[in-house]
Amino acid sequence: MPADRELKKGSTDLLILALVEHEARHGYELSKLIVSRSRGVVKLHVASLYPLLYRLEKRGLVAGRWVEKAGQRRRRYYRITAAGEKVLAAQRKSWREFVAAINRTIKVSHA
Amino acid sequence: MHNPHDWAGEIRARLAHLALEPAREAEIVEELSQHLDDAVRDSMGRGVPQAEARAQALEELESGDVLERALRGVEQAVERDPVVLGGVKGDNIVVSLWQDVRYAARKLRRTPGFTVVAASTLAIAIGATTAVFSIVNGVLLKPLPFRNPAELVRVAATSRDGRPISMSYLDFVDYRAQSKLVPAMSAYDEESRNLTIANSAPQRLRGLRVSANYFSLIGAHAILGHVFATDDDKAGAAPVAVISEGLWRTTFGGDAGIVGRVVQLNGTPFTVIGVAPATVTYPGKVDIWVPLVPTADDLTPGNRGAHYLRGMGRLAPHASAESANAELAGIAKQLASKFPDTNAEFGASITPLQESIVGSVHTALYVMLGCVGFVLLIACANVANLLLVRAAARESEIAIRSAIGASQGQITRQLVTESVLLSLVGAAAGVLLAKWTISAVHSFGPASVPRLDEVTIDGRVLAFTACVAMLTGVLFGLVPAIHARRANIGQMLRESTGGSSGRKGAQRTRSALVVSEMALAVMLLVGAGLLGRSFVHLIDVDPGYSPDHVVTMSVSLPSGKYKWDADERGFANAVMTQLLALPGVENAALAFGRPLSEDGMRTGFDLAGQPPAPPGQRKTADLRFVTPGFFGTLGMKILQGRDILESDRENSAQVVVVSQQFVKQYFPHESPLGKRIKLGYGWQRSANKSDTLTAGGEIVGVVADMKAQGADHDALETVYLPFAQTPVNEVSILVRSSQPPDVVLNLARARVREVDPDLPLYNVTTMTEAISGSVAGPRFYTVLLGSFAAIALVLAALGIYGVISYSVSQRTRELGIRIALGATRQGVMGLVVGQGMVLAGVGIAAGLGGAYWLTRYIATLLFGVGAVDALTFCSVALVLLAVASVSSWLPARKASRVDPLIAMRAA
């Protein structure tokens, strides 16, 4: 069953920040990682992914940089900023609390 | 093989209504296009047909206005700088320039790596240029700190060969009385004195005896009290003195009551009448001035040949130094015919004072300025290359600007603005580097370069730096700007992976820049190599004595306390007894005229039994007055006859020892031993005898030559007289000891103080340090030019590395294909290294040609090596070939490791 659109909208910031937490990545790499790690549940098209990245960049949570490697076209890599790390930590906490609350409500238990 | 699709049209169509800035739109198009290309590639890798893969990728863009709506909230909320390149109609040039500056600053901030590298390169080059210009400005260009300095001239007698020399008092009086073009003249004599103050250690002061009009001539006024009055230099005038501001503040604590205070100079009381300002620094730093009161000796007609005074004057209005020189030469000729015995061999000359002070370093300093200019050009070439690479990455940005209406002039102006801004940032850092360098020059600069203490970064230097920064910014900024003008805009707007003709042109320009860098580096290295070899020759010269383990110090015996010859002999005997008793002392001596001292005396002489030589053909020799042990202390070999002995005393037969050069000059075909010479010098002061001229004697020995004035001066004909027979009051003490120098110096100092505690000791040093000091000038120029050459070598190596590296990155696909078709790794490396070596070879050849033509300008700075020295030229060529091969090998190694598959997939 596909994830609810509203649920996805609120969590995509968290997804992107978590994926660039330890390593700078470019857009295509991010979209592939989202698909592979969510096992196809979450998919971000170009028309969604890049506006999201630009919004996070504008808010100062990620920093984009063009990198030119020998023999390749230049690519724009995104890495998390100090402000982004704070927001990620806060969002992770909120997400855990949210999921726990929902689970309590629908009485889902974990082994 | 996947051919990239032209996604730009699709993406732009979806962004059209957002009315984004062209540069921002181009960035978004580029990024999204890459994503879609990657998606198509991966789909085709999974076996999806190309058309289907493209269709799937296109779906990612979503139809309609999805992308536009998603971006609208982000992009249009961003407040972009209202920088509209291409200008707005009605904007004035100042507004446009300011916009260009702001845009340039933003661009430089976004590429910190490039900005730091380029600005650092410029900082080093502009900093070095500023430092050298500061020295040229302070030494050569800044006018002397006197009233109307252009009117001041040096007045001097000249020797037979036209060299300026000192003059006698009577000659000075005649020059002053008869010259109309130099109506105001002043004479001076350097005479250091001992200052004795109660409860303080005695102090050696650098003193000057001057004519009474000296201060008014240079336009200096006392900051406290007053300067000399007109009659202060007349016979019988009360002894007065003017002290320097430095001495007043340090020794007298800035005492406001100094005027009228009596001080003891060489045991004689002088009344201080004024304090001279710190700006009076000619000749050099002086501590105290006393009037030049003529003695009875000065006024004796027979002493017209006693040359010891220097002179200066002020030209009459509208008079030139050349006409004054001709006038004075005429007066000297009249004196020569009137007084042939004393004046036949001498002329006179007038030289502008500033030229007489700095003329000896004029060539060397301008050569240094030229050389640092080469460093600056090399730095410009390096930065221009960096900018060309950067411009290649900004082709689409420039193309878009041009497409939306920016004129070529506006684009050029913006690119040049960026370069000038970069250059100004580098210049600001360079000024700080220059300041630090000048502090080092103040501390370690050679004494042979005059006015070094006046070197500062003043307004003229800052203006020069700003001009240099602007010019270099325009120079290297024009290179990418010209290429931008030539570029085919249509080609740039298409996403093409092939090389455009514009790119080929840029590659040729980069190669030409690197060739120029190599040529300039070769010229600098040849110059540095020649100066280096010259310096090595200089320090290898045998001085004629052994300076190791010899320490020296000087004393001046005040005439008040050491009135008679017996007093001076007594001092010498007492000091020698004390010194020879010190542990570890092998030998000791006193001497007037140790090697490399400022003491010197040259006089005429006649051979006994022969008629005096006619005027103009007098024999002359240097005189030195030495105690027994002088030659042994300095390790000088006696070649014939004997040394000066203890038995050569005041009551025994007068004897002399002469130098090898003296024998070559005056006794080339016979032994000089037993011959007698009569010197035109001799002064015996005794309570029992009146003053008489009695110097000379039998030649009893011949000693090896010593280079008394330094390695680059020939040994002179020298006559050594026993100190006991002709004592003097200015002596150097020499001690040879096996103990460490600082131990010996302290012990010797203490022993001399025991003999006379009121005598200040000065010029306390080792002979090894004295020799090192004598070559400080050549060392300074060698180190300076060597530093420039090292910077140039590093920049040229980086230049070649950069060009070859970039070329490899542009040729990745080609090299991958070569390897795929069977080329070996070594073959690819050979191809790349060969490219670098061709550039280096052309540059080196051009540089050697330039060096061949230019090194004549440093010929006067060289010693023992010619301006076109084959060994130096060949060595430099080999060094640069080696450096170029390493700089080419590094990117070649990378090129040989290209994976053909990856290379062929690369765009």
Side-chain angles (χ1 to χ4, degrees):
Chain A
M1 188 183 194
D4 183 80
R5 188 180 275 271
E6 287 299 320
L7 192 62
K8 188 170 82 173
K9 200 169 165 187
S11 59
T12 46
D13 285 9
L14 175 58
L15 281 177
I16 299 296
L17 289 176
L19 287 174
V20 297
E21 184 187 9
H22 298 297
E23 193 179 327
R25 302 187 195 276
H26 57 77
Y28 185 66
E29 194 181 355
L30 284 168
S31 80
K32 285 208 310 186
L33 273 172
I34 290 170
V35 167
S36 69
R37 289 199 188 173
S38 69
R39 297 183 194 166
V41 171
V42 182
K43 217 173 190 175
L44 284 180
H45 283 170
V46 164
S48 307
L49 171 65
Y50 287 93
L52 168 60
L53 282 170
Y54 299 154
R55 184 162 51 80
L56 289 173
E57 193 178 13
K58 184 195 143 198
R59 285 166 59 194
L61 303 184
V62 300
R65 193 168 68 100
W66 287 102
V67 174
E68 183 168 0
K69 295 184 180 171
Q72 297 176 21
R73 290 159 72 181
R74 64 176 192 163
R75 282 185 183 281
R76 195 160 173 80
Y77 281 75
Y78 296 89
R79 60 166 182 83
I80 199 167
T81 62
E85 280 174 355
K86 286 188 186 144
V87 167
L88 174 61
Q91 284 200 348
R92 272 187 173 132
K93 186 164 174 276
S94 301
W95 182 255
R96 278 195 293 271
E97 286 168 1
F98 174 73
V99 167
I102 295 295
N103 285 341
R104 279 198 300 276
T105 307
I106 62 171
K107 289 194 174 31
V108 171
S109 61
H110 294 276
Chain B
M1 172 112 61
H2 155 61
N3 288 328
H5 184 74
D6 185 0
W7 301 107
E10 298 281 353
I11 298 168
R12 284 202 185 93
R14 286 161 173 75
L15 302 178
H17 295 297
L18 289 175
L20 296 173
E21 255 188 42
R24 179 59 185 150
E25 187 185 82
E27 276 191 340
I28 295 174
V29 165
E30 187 178 354
E31 193 171 8
L32 270 55
S33 298
Q34 279 177 357
H35 184 118
L36 297 173
D37 278 340
D38 289 340
V40 169
R41 188 192 64 234
D42 282 356
S43 295
M44 288 175 66
R46 291 191 299 273
V48 175
Q50 189 179 47
E52 194 181 326
R54 283 188 185 151
Q56 288 173 357
L58 194 57
E59 283 176 13
E60 294 236 17
L61 278 181
E62 308 255 6
S63 57
D65 62 354
V66 172
L67 180 63
E68 179 194 324
R69 280 189 286 114
L71 281 176
R72 188 181 294 281
V74 180
E75 292 299 318
Q76 296 211 316
V78 172
E79 280 180 22
R80 306 266 177 211
D81 283 340
V83 176
V84 179
L85 293 164
V88 173
K89 207 172 178 181
D91 267 358
N92 65 25
I93 185 75
V94 173
V95 170
S96 302
L97 267 176
W98 179 237
Q99 284 179 348
D100 287 345
V101 168
R102 285 174 59 200
Y103 188 79
R106 208 171 63 190
K107 275 287 175 200
L108 290 175
R109 265 202 312 272
R110 283 189 181 168
T111 52
F114 160 81
T115 305
V116 164
V117 167
S120 304
T121 305
L122 290 166
I124 291 171
I126 297 179
T129 309
T130 301
V132 173
F133 182 76
S134 302
I135 296 173
V136 167
N137 181 53
V139 174
L140 300 178
L141 301 179
K142 230 192 235 184
L144 294 172
F146 304 138
R147 177 173 58 89
N148 296 336
E151 293 175 356
L152 290 173
V153 294
R154 184 180 70 172
V155 179
T158 54
S159 60
R160 226 181 292 177
D161 54 3
R163 271 182 313 116
I165 58 174
S166 50
M167 56 191 170
S168 66
Y169 185 85
L170 290 173
D171 281 350
F172 164 70
V173 168
D174 284 330
Y175 295 150
R176 186 171 56 180
Q178 296 177 36
S179 174
K180 293 185 175 33
L181 298 181
V182 189
M185 268 194 214
S186 176
Y188 63 90
D189 174 34
E190 292 182 37
E191 191 179 280
S192 296
R193 288 165 189 252
N194 301 337
L195 172 70
T196 324
I197 301 177
N199 303 321
S200 284
Q203 211 176 327
R204 180 80 177 159
L205 299 183
R206 187 139 187 261
L208 214 60
R209 291 169 64 214
V210 298
S211 304
N213 67 340
Y214 176 82
F215 288 104
S216 62
L217 187 74
I218 61 176
H221 302 283
I223 57 173
L224 213 58
H226 58 87
V227 295
F228 299 132
T230 314
D231 291 335
D232 280 340
D233 62 358
K234 300 284 183 286
V240 293
V242 171
I243 64 172
S244 71
E245 187 179 346
L247 183 71
W248 172 54
R249 290 192 192 283
T250 52
T251 300
F252 297 100
D255 176 16
I258 188 67
V259 175
R261 187 161 158 180
V262 175
V263 295
Q264 296 285 333
L265 298 174
N266 283 0
T268 304
F270 281 76
T271 305
V272 175
I273 60 168
V275 178
T279 50
V280 182
T281 52
Y282 178 79
K285 277 213 166 77
V286 175
D287 297 314
I288 193 160
W289 294 262
V290 298
L292 180 67
V293 179
T295 62
D297 297 328
D298 287 328
L299 299 172
T300 304
N303 284 340
R304 195 177 266 272
H307 291 227
Y308 71 99
L309 286 177
R310 299 183 194 275
M312 59 192 287
R314 186 174 284 280
L315 291 169
H318 310 302
S320 68
E322 291 78 19
S323 55
N325 184 53
E327 184 202 40
L328 205 73
I331 297 170
K333 232 176 175 170
Q334 288 170 12
L335 291 176
S337 66
K338 202 169 165 188
F339 307 106
D341 282 345
T342 51
N343 286 44
E345 297 180 8
F346 303 110
S349 71
I350 295 278
T351 319
L353 189 65
Q354 184 146 354
E355 188 187 312
S356 72
I357 296 171
V358 302
S360 60
V361 297
H362 187 267
T363 302
L365 288 182
Y366 276 122
V367 164
M368 292 300 128
L369 192 61
C371 290
V372 83
F374 278 17
V375 174
L376 189 60
L377 285 174
I378 292 174
C380 285
N382 252 1
V383 175
N385 259 331
L386 286 172
L387 282 171
L388 273 176
V389 170
R390 194 159 174 262
R394 292 169 68 183
E395 278 176 353
S396 48
E397 173 202 333
I398 295 168
I400 288 164
R401 283 186 213 162
S402 184
I404 61 167
S407 69
Q408 293 286 355
Q410 284 162 335
I411 293 175
T412 303
R413 193 186 70 210
Q414 196 278 314
L415 290 173
V416 170
T417 302
E418 208 171 300
S419 306
V420 169
L421 186 63
L422 188 61
S423 195
L424 287 171
V425 167
V431 167
L432 292 174
L433 274 176
K435 225 172 140 62
W436 177 80
T437 306
I438 287 165
S439 303
V441 166
H442 282 155
S443 303
F444 303 111
S448 56
V449 178
R451 304 185 73 192
L452 269 185
D453 53 335
E454 293 184 53
V455 171
T456 58
I457 298 184
D458 61 10
R460 182 189 287 165
V461 172
L462 285 173
F464 171 83
T465 304
C467 287
V468 162
M470 301 283 288
L471 278 170
T472 52
V474 169
L475 189 67
F476 63 71
L478 277 177
V479 174
I482 287 169
H483 273 279
R485 288 167 80 102
R486 284 190 198 150
N488 183 321
I489 297 203
Q491 272 184 303
M492 282 203 283
L493 282 173
R494 281 198 300 280
E495 285 185 357
S496 135
T497 57
S500 67
S501 62
R503 291 203 188 113
K504 286 203 177 86
Q507 179 66 25
R508 273 197 293 273
T509 304
R510 275 193 288 274
S511 300
L513 286 170
V514 160
V515 165
S516 310
E517 283 184 54
M518 290 296 284
L520 290 168
V522 162
M523 287 188 256
L524 278 174
L525 277 161
V526 166
L530 287 174
L531 278 185
R533 285 197 68 203
S534 174
F535 183 70
V536 167
H537 280 138
L538 199 61
I539 58 176
D540 267 351
V541 166
D542 179 7
Y545 54 92
S546 298
D548 302 321
H549 307 293
V550 178
V551 303
T552 179
M553 59 198 75
S554 299
V555 292
S556 176
L557 306 178
S559 52
K561 193 170 176 181
Y562 295 86
K563 198 170 171 187
W564 309 114
D565 289 354
D567 301 319
E568 288 163 351
R569 275 187 219 110
F571 173 82
N573 292 338
V575 165
M576 287 297 296
T577 306
Q578 291 277 0
L579 293 176
L580 288 170
L582 286 173
V585 168
E586 295 163 14
N587 218 328
L590 267 68
F592 170 87
R594 68 145 170 90
L596 303 175
S597 77
E598 292 171 357
D599 299 328
M601 191 183 295
R602 192 159 182 89
T603 188
F605 70 93
D606 292 307
L607 291 172
Q610 287 185 17
Q617 293 175 37
R618 300 289 307 280
K619 299 181 183 52
T620 55
D622 265 21
L623 296 193
R624 290 175 206 280
F625 310 96
V626 303
T627 58
F630 173 78
F631 302 124
T633 304
L634 286 176
M636 292 167 69
K637 205 167 159 204
I638 301 287
L639 301 172
Q640 292 182 49
R642 65 168 176 86
D643 197 342
I644 288 170
L645 304 171
E646 290 292 345
S647 54
D648 296 319
R649 301 215 60 84
E650 62 270 28
N651 295 322
S652 56
Q654 297 216 309
V655 297
V656 299
V657 169
V658 297
S659 71
Q660 201 174 1
Q661 180 61 25
F662 182 97
V663 173
K664 267 190 210 152
Q665 182 72 15
Y666 300 120
F667 297 96
H669 305 298
E670 56 181 323
S671 170
L673 297 181
K675 304 281 190 301
R676 303 190 68 85
I677 60 173
K678 192 172 141 187
L679 294 164
Y681 167 84
W683 216 241
Q684 199 171 59
R685 297 168 306 147
S686 164
N688 296 323
K689 287 184 192 166
S690 59
D691 293 343
T692 53
L693 282 164
T694 59
E698 180 188 343
I699 298 175
V700 296
V702 177
V703 69
D705 286 326
M706 72 167 171
K707 288 188 181 283
Q709 293 173 314
D712 53 349
H713 288 81
D714 292 330
L716 295 171
E717 307 84 14
T718 310
V719 176
Y720 297 90
L721 289 88
F723 188 90
Q725 294 182 346
T726 41
V728 290
N729 63 342
E730 303 271 345
V731 287
S732 297
I733 299 167
L734 296 141
V735 182
R736 176 179 285 277
S737 169
S738 53
Q739 301 259 32
D742 48 344
V743 170
V744 182
L745 279 170
N746 285 336
L747 287 171
R749 234 196 289 246
R751 289 290 187 269
V752 172
R753 288 234 164 89
E754 278 181 31
V755 173
D756 187 341
D758 290 334
L759 279 181
L761 300 168
Y762 58 99
N763 289 346
V764 179
T765 186
T766 64
M767 282 309 299
T768 309
E769 275 173 20
I771 289 182
S772 176
S774 73
V775 297
R779 183 190 301 122
F780 176 68
Y781 297 124
T782 303
V783 166
L784 207 56
L785 190 46
S787 307
F788 297 158
I791 295 171
L793 186 62
V794 168
L795 288 177
L798 288 173
I800 285 208
Y801 174 80
V803 162
I804 301 298
S805 256
Y806 189 72
S807 168
V808 162
S809 73
Q810 295 299 296
R811 295 169 73 186
T812 305
R813 193 162 172 233
E814 175 211 332
L815 296 172
I817 291 170
R818 283 178 184 267
I819 294 172
L821 291 177
T824 60
R825 306 271 173 195
Q826 287 77 16
V828 168
M829 280 186 70
L831 189 70
V832 174
V833 170
Q835 183 189 359
M837 296 312 285
V838 164
L839 292 178
V842 174
I844 290 170
L848 289 176
Y852 182 84
W853 184 69
L854 283 173
T855 48
R856 72 190 69 184
Y857 294 107
I858 64 168
T860 53
L861 303 178
L862 300 178
F863 178 82
V865 64
V868 181
D869 177 58
L871 177 61
T872 307
F873 276 60
C874 290
S875 305
V876 164
L878 286 172
V879 163
L880 274 157
L881 279 172
V883 164
S885 63
V886 170
S887 294
S888 307
W889 175 80
L890 290 169
R893 202 170 68 138
K894 202 170 155 194
S896 71
R897 290 177 184 174
V898 162
D899 183 329
L901 283 177
I902 292 174
M904 285 188 283
R905 264 194 237 139

